[in-house]
Amino acid sequence: MKKTLLAVTALAVMAFGSACGAGQDLPGDPAGEELVVVGMSQVGAESDWRVANSESMKAVFTEENGYRLLFEDARQKQENQITAIRRFIQQQVDYIVLMPISETGWDSVLQEAREAGIPVILVDRMVDVEDESLYVAHIGSDFWREGEAAVDWIAGTYPDRGTPVRIVHIQGTLGSTAQLGRTAALVEAAEAHESWELLAQLDGDFTQAKAYEVMTEYLERLPAGYEIDVVYCENDNEAFGAIQALEEGGYICGSGGVDVITFDATRNALTECMKGRISLAVECNPLLGPLVEETIQALEAGQTPERHRYAEERTFTPDQLTEAFIAGRTY
Ligand code: GYE
């Protein structure tokens, strides 16, 4: 049920000493229509995954479906996300949907949202807050499990026979749940397998440009022809940048050469995988809009939504892919 104007105003007066109205205040509301106002703070547009995730949200939270979506792109800066949340509080939105860039630093602003009586739903990544009741639900992926699928593939492809498995690791945005989970799975497995050598951990910030830059610099420091078995890229865009750097450095990507592993499995990565340049693509599903809407509908109906929801995900190797399958994917 939509909050009453009175309750919202009372809370706003308590929190800010201001008494403007609820969502209905926003310009352009069709007269008499009760739209549910959703303030959404998205990380940015750093990757194909992120773009697909934003599109999934925008497709669901439309006026025809009964929503007014206030969408803010934080351009990969936490301070922009905090500013956006404060603006949503002032605008007295009905719900705040937050895709947090990193896990820490959210306690005070989420406390402010709570004081204003606005439920916060986390999407994609998680926050690390002292009081977990500062968010009502989280909808995303189990990043550690994704990482485990990747390390299981490495273990199966490189059975321990004493020969070293040389791995270069390109990490995502440091401190983000996706980075922490995918990194932890690799680091733990590298400790457990004596033959695995983590040659380097490079910060690719989930972008193609950064991954290309750090991989190129790294290869320039290596002795010519130095053998690399696996490049573990924490998302597709990093894999594209790494492949470009590897090929420019004279490496061949694919079975028998460097095994590039990627996460997300968006269409461009699946195409590279089908061609054999990516050896393993671990799916991370960005189509979370419908799940977020179900959560909001549950809250509107006065129900308690599931606290954590994880999308179904799988892995892909070149032999499992066809053009028809890839064409049928929506992202
Ligand atoms: O893997 C990457 C994006 O948090 C799951 O962020 C998300 C990750 C995704 O930039 O492509």
Side-chain angles (χ1 to χ4, degrees):
M1 201 200 312
K2 202 167 188 305
K3 286 192 299 256
T4 66
L5 186 58
L6 199 65
V8 172
T9 307
L11 279 163
V13 170
M14 274 159 50
F16 305 106
S18 93
C20 51
Q24 292 89 334
D25 257 347
L26 297 160
D29 249 6
E33 248 186 67
E34 285 257 312
L35 295 176
V36 175
V37 182
V38 177
M40 185 172 290
S41 172
Q42 177 60 285
V43 169
E46 75 283 4
S47 64
D48 294 6
W49 187 98
R50 186 69 54 200
V51 172
N53 180 247
S54 296
E55 278 168 9
S56 169
M57 298 297 157
K58 287 175 184 169
V60 164
F61 293 104
T62 60
E63 293 207 2
E64 301 80 73
N65 289 347
Y67 298 96
R68 159 137 308 149
L69 177 64
L70 307 179
F71 184 91
E72 295 271 358
D73 175 335
R75 297 174 189 280
Q76 279 186 282
K77 289 211 162 50
Q78 185 176 32
E79 70 228 49
N80 292 344
Q81 294 207 285
I82 292 174
T83 306
I85 294 172
R86 295 214 163 107
R87 202 162 31 237
F88 296 148
I89 295 171
Q90 273 165 358
Q91 290 169 316
Q92 298 173 34
V93 301
D94 296 303
Y95 297 92
I96 291 174
V97 174
L98 169 64
M99 291 79 164
I101 182 155
S102 53
E103 292 202 343
T104 55
W106 298 103
D107 294 81
S108 340
V109 76
L110 295 191
Q111 187 67 40
E112 290 165 35
R114 175 159 54 211
E115 277 158 21
I118 303 172
V120 173
I121 297 159
L122 301 177
V123 173
D124 162 23
R125 305 172 184 172
M126 275 292 295
V127 296
D128 180 7
V129 281
E130 252 178 52
D131 176 356
E132 291 197 349
S133 71
L134 288 175
Y135 58 88
V136 288
H138 167 242
I139 297 137
S141 296
D142 184 337
F143 302 116
W144 193 85
R145 216 172 45 205
E146 291 176 355
E148 227 197 1
V151 298
D152 283 353
W153 183 89
I154 303 177
T157 308
Y158 295 88
D160 276 324
R161 287 201 193 109
T163 29
V165 185
R166 300 195 178 95
I167 304 169
V168 176
H169 178 193
I170 306 187
Q171 296 180 283
T173 304
L174 299 177
S176 68
T177 314
Q179 177 269 314
L180 294 167
R182 292 167 187 168
T183 291
L186 177 62
V187 169
E188 279 170 37
E191 276 163 14
H193 291 84
E194 250 181 64
S195 58
W196 293 22
E197 277 177 28
L198 261 188
L199 295 180
Q201 278 188 318
L202 311 171
D203 175 8
D205 203 18
F206 283 134
T207 70
Q208 181 162 345
K210 186 79 193 293
Y212 172 72
E213 182 191 312
V214 294
M215 192 67 193
T216 302
E217 275 170 16
Y218 177 69
L219 294 176
E220 280 167 6
R221 294 203 305 269
L222 276 188
Y226 194 87
E227 203 177 309
I228 298 173
D229 299 299
V230 174
V231 179
Y232 182 100
C233 304
E234 289 188 358
N235 82 343
D236 288 347
N237 297 80
E238 291 185 344
F240 305 146
I243 289 172
Q244 195 189 338
L246 284 161
E247 290 183 346
E248 286 175 11
Y251 289 87
I252 292 169
C253 297
S255 175
V258 181
D259 281 315
V260 175
I261 294 179
T262 187
F263 294 85
D264 287 353
T266 53
R267 214 189 265 141
N268 289 336
L270 289 181
T271 304
E272 288 302 312
C273 184
M274 187 179 65
K275 289 185 195 155
R277 282 155 104 207
I278 287 177
S279 302
L280 177 75
V282 180
E283 185 178 34
C284 180
N285 191 345
L287 306 181
L288 303 176
L291 300 185
V292 179
E293 204 216 354
E294 276 174 32
T295 301
I296 289 184
Q297 283 309 318
L299 290 163
E300 288 285 296
Q303 297 158 2
T304 308
E306 249 175 89
R307 185 129 185 95
H308 290 281
R309 285 185 79 176
Y310 293 115
E312 294 256 332
E313 293 167 348
R314 55 166 289 189
T315 61
F316 299 94
T317 48
D319 53 303
Q320 295 167 334
L321 289 162
T322 61
E323 266 172 40
F325 175 81
I326 297 171
R329 303 266 289 180
T330 51
Y331 61 92

